[in-house]
Every structure is written in structure tokens, then in C-alpha cells.
Amino acid sequence: MNMRKIVIAGFLLFIGINSLIAQEWLTDFEEAKKIASEKNKNIVLVFAGSDWCAPCIKLEKQILESQEFQEYAKDNYVLIKADFPRKKKNQLPEALQAHNKKLAETYNKSGGFPLVVLLDKTGKKLGETGYKKVTPDSYLGILNQMIE
């Protein structure tokens, strides 16, 4: 097997394994509530500025993309992201922008970024936090304290 085939096979294996642990981030709140009700899970709603907010990017890389967070979230949460990019090349479709703005009017009145809001399966707010310089496990602990 030549080197190129080995690299491609490795990449495909990585993608396959990664998609097994990585949970899909939803963008539709009604869909998130429907899934949360069906599976009896709480909802993690993240307000982010993916292309301009440094703490948002740190939260994404250090916590939300971590294996610990992903594995725990897969069994315990429905994940939804409301992104507010500023760069023209990253602009979301108008319908999604309007949807995110409506979510912000309800759950992020202060306009803070990043904001992580924990909701029950009906959309009732249980608590909120922002970026914290902690381990993914500690961050999950912060979220879980909101449930109790």
C-alpha cells in the first residue's frame, strides 16, 4: 500500500471515529426541544461569536470540542448553538440569523459572549455560565450543579 492510500485510510478512520463521539450541534431550537423531550435530556444552548470573540473560541477548543465533554454530552444533553459571526464570509443565512436573534432576545438579554445556558427539555432556563478556564470535567460539573 502506498503512502497516499495509508494517509487516506487513516483520515477516513479518524473521521469515522470522530463522528461516533462528536454530537451534532443543532441550530433549530424547536428541533432541540423535540429531541430533548423524546430523550428526556436537558439542552445546552451556546451563544457564540465564532469569528470575533476570543473567549468563545477558547470555550469551543478547550471545552466543547474535548472528548470528555462530547462523550458526556452525547448521553446527557441536546446541544444547540446560536452563532453570531461578524465577518462577511462567515455570515449565516438570514433565516438562521433571525432565529438566533430571537433566541438571544429570550435567553441572552445581556448580550454577553460566550453565554452557555442550560435549559430543561421544555426550554425553561436552569442556569447560565460563560467561559471558564477549567478542565472539561470541571465545566461539566458547573453545568450539572444547575440541575440540582
Side-chain angles (χ1 to χ4, degrees):
M1 198 143 74
N2 70 21
M3 192 61 182
R4 184 171 170 203
K5 286 183 182 171
I6 292 171
V7 169
I8 290 170
F11 178 72
L12 292 174
L13 182 66
F14 172 77
I15 295 291
I17 290 169
N18 211 25
S19 64
L20 288 176
I21 32 177
Q23 183 180 345
E24 195 69 26
W25 281 88
L26 302 173
T27 55
D28 183 320
F29 189 58
E30 292 309 314
E31 183 185 355
K33 285 197 302 188
K34 181 175 171 261
I35 293 168
S37 287
E38 288 169 3
K39 297 187 175 182
N40 197 27
K41 294 181 179 181
N42 288 318
I43 300 167
V44 173
L45 168 59
V46 177
F47 289 94
S50 63
D51 66 2
W52 59 270
C53 166
C56 300
I57 295 164
K58 285 181 181 174
L59 175 69
E60 185 81 26
K61 297 262 181 271
Q62 295 170 7
I63 307 291
L64 305 178
E65 290 178 357
S66 72
Q67 189 171 349
E68 299 94 329
F69 184 89
Q70 287 291 322
E71 285 178 2
Y72 186 85
K74 184 176 64 181
D75 295 329
N76 297 282
Y77 298 128
V78 174
L79 304 175
I80 179 167
K81 193 170 289 169
D83 192 16
F84 292 83
R86 288 187 181 161
K87 292 180 183 160
K88 197 170 193 158
K89 67 177 182 172
N90 299 331
Q91 287 305 301
L92 303 173
E94 278 187 34
L96 187 53
Q97 287 180 39
H99 176 267
N100 290 352
K101 188 175 179 216
K102 191 173 170 213
L103 277 176
E105 287 167 3
T106 305
Y107 296 107
N108 189 0
K109 290 183 171 87
S110 68
F113 287 90
L115 182 67
V116 179
V117 184
L118 187 67
L119 308 165
D120 72 8
K121 62 188 175 192
T122 67
K124 178 177 166 261
K125 188 174 181 177
L126 301 173
E128 67 180 42
T129 187
Y131 168 70
K132 307 256 187 262
K133 192 174 172 69
V134 296
T135 66
D137 286 336
S138 296
Y139 203 86
L140 288 165
I142 293 166
L143 292 177
N144 287 330
Q145 283 178 338
M146 295 176 197
I147 299 167
E148 296 156 12

